[in-house]
Amino acid sequence: MMAALTGVAAQAAERHVTVCMEAAQLGLAESNANARALASTMFARVGVTIKWRLGLRGCPPKSILIGLDDTTPPALYPGALAWAQPYEGTQIRIFNDRLARNHGPAHVPVVLAHVLVHEIAHLLQGISRHSNHGVMKSKWEKRDFMQMVWEPLTFTEEDVALIHRGLAGRAAGALTEWP
């Protein structure tokens, strides 16, 4: 019985991740705070706790690092709102300028939240894959963006299983520490 309880406690402890995000420009700070709150809620629905930290300095090892680009070159991942390195496990770049250009100010926090969740999930899963629907869909369509405004996109069961498996691997030291 004690071993079973210890296993449950260890599993619960493994279902959190620290995410360090570059500070946004002053005008985007509130949008980013709202996006982080929604992203946390979306992950909480699948049993994952996100611990947010602003700034990249002093970020603990194995944390996820999110940088923000305000002048994304047009040839860099055309049409993408962000990129992640799932096999490396810690790096995400968000293309803030593309978010602002393609979505109205009222929708930027909601879309940004979904982009954060999508890219963080890539890193947690540790593989490059997409689902046929939901937040892990490879390319969101107009109807997906419309749904985001009313109700967050969800993870598939496979997405959730891969996230939990990836978190267990991270906790076991599957990632190499970055300097």
Side-chain angles (χ1 to χ4, degrees), residues 5 47 110 139 151 170:
L5 290 175
V110 172
K139 185 167 174 60
E151 178 181 20
R170 288 173 83 89

Side-chain angles (χ1 to χ4, degrees), residues 64 84-86 89-92 119-126 170:
I64 292 173
Q85 297 180 329
T90 63
Q91 303 287 324
I92 296 173
E119 300 303 338
I120 291 168
H122 272 311
L123 297 186
L124 297 181
Q125 291 177 351
R170 288 173 83 89

Side-chain angles (χ1 to χ4, degrees), residues 73-147:
L76 182 64
Y77 302 107
L81 298 175
W83 66 260
Q85 297 180 329
Y87 299 105
E88 178 270 342
T90 63
Q91 303 287 324
I92 296 173
R93 296 298 299 177
I94 304 292
F95 305 142
N96 268 347
D97 52 334
R98 291 182 185 170
L99 278 165
R101 185 171 53 245
N102 297 322
H103 302 280
H107 295 156
V108 166
V110 172
V111 176
L112 176 58
H114 283 78
V115 170
L116 290 168
V117 168
H118 181 99
E119 300 303 338
I120 291 168
H122 272 311
L123 297 186
L124 297 181
Q125 291 177 351
I127 57 174
S128 182
R129 66 164 289 282
H130 290 98
S131 296
N132 292 329
H133 62 277
V135 73
M136 293 307 294
K137 190 173 174 180
S138 65
K139 185 167 174 60
W140 296 320
E141 300 164 2
K142 184 177 181 177
R143 65 184 163 151
D144 297 311
F145 288 109
M146 289 172 38
Q147 180 184 339

